[in-house]
Amino acid sequence: MTTSLSLQDQRKINAARHALSFVDAGQVVGIGSGSTVARFIELLGAAPAKPPAVVVASAQSEAIALKAGLKIVPLNDVRRIDCYFDGADEIDPSLAMIKGGGAALTREKIIASASKRFICMVDGSKWVSTLGAFPLPVEVVPFAEAYVCDRIAALGGAAKRRGELITDNGNIIIDVVGLNFSDCDGLEATLNNIAGVVCNGLFAARRADVCIIAGDQIETRTAA
Ligand code: 5RP
């Protein structure tokens, strides 16, 4: 049976394929989560020179990496990573991002922070002039849900729990609309400072270093 890919899916594959050129031989690779990353993992597994090991951000990526024949190691064993590859829900010209559509934001942010270089791979629909149209995912300790939602409301945001979803870390996700993204670094820190917030999906303190954008052609951007 053949399945036809949407244009967006084809572009995700194109971005992932281009990202392979950023993998340096012999280096442990950090890997995020999501459908673009899934394609990247499959391509990496089929590459002539596989990395010696990978650190993955989600149970979903772990399963795909195992199937692709990649060796997975815990971040605690390697401590620092040379290069991290991940997708995004939105990315702006400063290479700040909204991530967490796949609920893996906390481990993604940890690995990104532990990595010397962050390569973001997106189809062209994710490239935006200003962040904020995509609801901002926030991982929250379940006990603190109502308190965190009230604090976010005081910042002008409206939070909605993402159904019955429980993250790989045993927490819930709330998706937030209505926040002001004019100071991304400040907003990321403010949200992190609410007791009960584990992590938020705004990646400003640790922006990407390179963004591969797959549209009609491939474009590679560094921060404006
Ligand atoms: C998961 C993420 C993903 O990178 C983001 O949701 C993009 O996913 P996709 O590649 O499926 O469009 O942040 O938590």
Side-chain angles (χ1 to χ4, degrees):
M1 191 178 76
T2 55
T3 45
S4 60
L5 291 174
S6 70
L7 181 61
Q8 186 179 32
D9 287 340
Q10 187 55 59
R11 287 177 172 176
K12 288 180 181 189
I13 293 170
N14 294 347
R17 185 172 292 118
H18 191 75
L20 285 180
S21 61
F22 288 84
V23 177
D24 285 327
Q27 288 184 344
V28 175
V29 166
I31 296 177
S33 196
S35 56
T36 313
V37 161
R39 304 291 84 77
F40 175 77
I41 297 171
E42 289 160 359
L43 290 164
L44 192 61
K50 285 185 200 175
V54 298
V55 176
V56 294
S58 69
Q60 182 198 50
S61 290
E62 181 174 339
I64 300 167
L66 285 174
K67 202 168 161 204
L70 296 169
K71 181 183 172 198
I72 298 167
V73 290
L75 178 61
N76 286 330
D77 285 4
V78 291
R79 291 171 186 268
R80 291 280 283 155
I81 292 170
D82 288 296
C83 204
Y84 176 63
F85 296 84
D86 202 354
D89 298 300
E90 286 184 347
I91 181 162
D92 76 8
S94 75
L95 305 196
M97 293 157 281
I98 288 181
K99 291 184 44 55
L105 58 152
T106 299
R107 295 189 193 189
E108 290 174 345
K109 196 175 277 193
I110 293 167
I111 304 178
S113 301
S115 298
K116 292 180 194 152
R117 206 161 185 226
F118 181 167
I119 313 295
C120 182
M121 313 166 283
V122 291
D123 70 85
S125 69
K126 311 288 186 67
W127 182 257
V128 298
S129 55
T130 311
L131 299 178
F134 191 92
L136 181 68
V138 181
E139 182 164 351
V140 175
V141 174
F143 179 80
E145 179 183 357
Y147 170 73
V148 169
C149 289
D150 288 348
R151 291 287 308 274
I152 285 176
L155 297 171
K160 187 171 175 215
R161 182 170 170 170
R162 199 182 296 177
E164 295 308 305
L165 185 142
I166 299 293
T167 68
D168 289 347
N169 311 306
N171 298 307
I172 60 169
I173 297 285
I174 56 172
D175 293 302
V176 181
V177 295
L179 294 170
N180 182 342
F181 284 77
S182 57
D183 171 15
C184 288
D185 294 87
L187 179 60
E188 183 179 8
T190 299
L191 292 169
N192 282 343
N193 276 339
I194 300 173
V197 167
V198 177
C199 184
N200 71 82
L202 184 52
F203 282 52
R206 205 318 169 207
R207 288 162 153 82
D209 299 298
V210 174
C211 183
I212 298 166
I213 309 159
D216 290 338
Q217 267 119 37
I218 296 279
E219 278 182 67
T220 303
R221 301 274 185 113
T222 51

